[in-house]
Amino acid sequence: MKIGNIKIHGNLFLAPMADVTNPAFRMLCKKYGAALTYSEMISADAVLHENARTTSRGLSCEEEKPFAIQLFGNSATTISDAASIVEEKYSPDIIDINFGCPANVLVKDGSGSALLDFPEKVRDIISSVCGKVNTPVTAKIRVLHDMKKTIDIAQIIEEAGANAITVHGRTQAQQYSGKAEHEYARNIKNELSIPVIANGDIIDGFSAKQILDYAECDALMIGRAAMSNPHVFREIAHFLRTGEQTNTDECAQRIADFKEYVRLLELYGLEEYVDIRMHAQWFTRGINGGRHIRQGISKTRDKKSIIRLMESLCAQFPEKNVNGVIHGN
Ligand SMILES: Cc1cc2nc3c(=O)[nH]c(=O)nc-3n(C[C@H](O)[C@H](O)[C@H](O)COP(=O)(O)O)c2cc1C
């Protein structure tokens, strides 16, 4: 598929996730077949005022290509000025605009999902950004209670010049609870000619196939399932190709992935920006004995002892394959 002039080899994308999708994490997901990766959301204001954290978020490397940088903000001028700086400084393949974040701090500021109540502002933001940069521009939305209003917003985004749209099938009020409703992505796909990416609750091969078949969308975006298991991209791709689940030793896989993640954090000089204990906790979600491992991790300090602990505790809890389950023990 293509987004604007960017060729994307595959239909499984890594979702933007604040405090998760740093360059090291994105590279890990890329290695397992994520066809497109998104940075954590970056404040347009912070880009204009240039801070170190922003720089670490925007970083990428040639092997990661194609990758997208996501911006959030509440003004067309600020976001488009920031987009122009980001284009020049980081050369992303895609610039994505956040119209989905339900966090209070953004909503109170009129950013993220708050913008969905102001369709003309959405139009203004997308057309200003498209007018300022040569990089393809995409948008990520949540859905509204009203199907027609959601489709109207999607159409506005397309008319304003966006090259693709991601639809997270939850409302702002739902935050992350309830079930993602993919009827929205399906209907938007029927109405629009730009690529539509469905997002929400894709956790394994079964759910991926079900949503692809139902929404008939161009791609799937995966968030929380990748957060605990970057290998999920390979597992889903295998299922979509063969109809079969992979037979991985989940525990060994997670430890290997965590080690590689630590190596990449060192390589990119990102350790100071990451709470390594918290990330180690995610990597143990859904594996056998995960709760015991997390209790141990909460008492350790450095990455080497976290890895030792993961190895010793994994050995005590022989693995039952738990493919893709993220809210397990
Ligand atoms: C920890 C975390 C951070 C997130 N940060 C962002 C973000 O920066 N930008 C964004 O558009 N969505 C963000 N999201 C939402 C995800 O991109 C995605 O839409 C949502 O998790 C639903 O997909 P999933 O069911 O595959 O997790 C975040 C989600 C989580 C769990």
Side-chain angles (χ1 to χ4, degrees):
M1 70 179 286
K2 270 183 138 185
I3 294 184
N5 57 353
I6 302 296
K7 186 122 185 63
I8 317 264
H9 300 278
N11 60 355
L12 302 176
F13 298 175
L14 171 67
M17 287 187 283
D19 295 324
V20 182
T21 58
N22 60 57
F25 189 84
R26 301 197 310 260
M27 276 306 295
L28 195 52
C29 293
K30 196 102 238 189
K31 174 177 146 189
Y32 287 129
L36 177 64
T37 49
Y38 288 68
S39 74
E40 312 171 54
M41 60 180 171
I42 302 178
S43 150
D45 271 320
V47 172
L48 299 184
H49 298 106
E50 173 78 40
N51 66 37
R53 181 71 209 258
T54 302
T55 305
S56 80
R57 288 181 170 186
L59 277 178
S60 181
C61 58
E62 201 48 41
E63 302 98 286
E64 194 194 350
K65 281 185 159 294
F67 89 106
I69 287 188
Q70 190 191 62
L71 293 172
F72 74 91
N74 62 9
S75 124
T77 313
T78 314
I79 300 178
S80 54
D81 286 350
S84 168
I85 294 174
V86 155
E87 176 178 66
E88 159 104 31
K89 202 164 166 187
Y90 306 110
S91 312
D93 300 283
I94 286 164
I95 294 178
D96 186 66
I97 310 298
N98 182 321
F99 296 110
C101 183
N104 253 340
V105 52
L106 265 78
V107 170
K108 272 202 229 143
D109 192 41
S111 309
S113 58
L115 287 161
L116 297 174
D117 290 333
F118 303 95
E120 287 311 310
K121 197 153 188 191
V122 170
R123 184 194 301 278
D124 206 16
I125 291 172
I126 294 291
S127 60
S128 305
V129 177
C130 292
K132 269 268 172 81
V133 298
N134 294 316
T135 308
V137 175
T138 59
K140 180 164 178 279
I141 64 167
R142 278 190 176 238
V143 300
L144 302 166
H145 284 291
D146 188 310
M147 176 67 76
K148 178 166 179 321
K149 284 189 178 160
T150 314
I151 296 172
D152 288 348
I153 289 259
Q155 276 169 332
I156 284 173
I157 286 171
E158 178 173 60
E159 282 162 21
N163 297 100
I165 183 168
T166 302
V167 183
H168 176 191
R170 285 191 177 80
T171 61
Q172 179 197 91
Q174 278 181 292
Q175 301 259 336
Y176 293 94
S177 66
K179 213 169 113 297
E181 186 46 80
H182 296 291
E183 195 185 350
Y184 289 88
R186 178 188 164 92
N187 291 346
I188 289 171
K189 175 67 196 166
N190 272 333
E191 297 295 329
L192 268 56
S193 21
I194 55 174
V196 175
I197 302 143
N199 168 238
D201 299 344
I202 298 154
I203 57 166
D204 53 17
F206 287 115
S207 50
K209 174 140 179 51
Q210 221 172 26
I211 295 163
L212 262 184
D213 289 349
Y214 173 71
E216 296 181 326
C217 54
D218 300 275
L220 300 174
M221 178 184 274
I222 299 155
R224 288 164 296 172
M227 186 172 157
S228 57
N229 178 24
H231 192 250
V232 74
F233 291 99
R234 186 169 284 175
E235 292 165 11
I236 293 177
H238 180 80
F239 187 88
L240 293 177
R241 227 177 23 250
T242 65
E244 285 165 16
Q245 284 185 283
T246 48
N247 194 12
T248 339
D249 176 345
E250 193 100 0
C251 206
Q253 183 69 55
R254 299 285 187 92
I255 295 174
D257 290 344
F258 184 69
K259 284 182 178 167
E260 175 63 1
Y261 178 52
V262 167
R263 188 188 74 80
L264 291 166
L265 285 172
E266 286 168 2
L267 182 71
Y268 296 120
L270 293 170
E271 287 172 289
E272 66 175 298
Y273 299 111
V274 167
D275 178 345
I276 197 68
R277 272 202 294 205
M278 190 166 79
H279 286 219
Q281 307 265 15
W282 298 335
F283 275 72
T284 62
R285 279 197 209 155
I287 56 172
N288 229 13
R291 189 182 302 138
H292 295 272
I293 300 172
R294 284 193 293 284
Q295 278 164 0
I297 289 171
S298 65
K299 294 180 199 127
T300 56
R301 296 220 162 270
D302 70 295
K303 56 197 179 198
K304 284 206 179 98
S305 37
I306 291 175
I307 291 169
R308 270 200 303 275
L309 191 97
M310 281 170 130
E311 285 171 336
S312 73
L313 285 174
C314 266
Q316 287 175 36
F317 295 94
E319 189 55 36
K320 282 186 258 141
N321 201 330
V322 286
N323 260 322
V325 178
I326 56 167
H327 296 299
N329 46 9

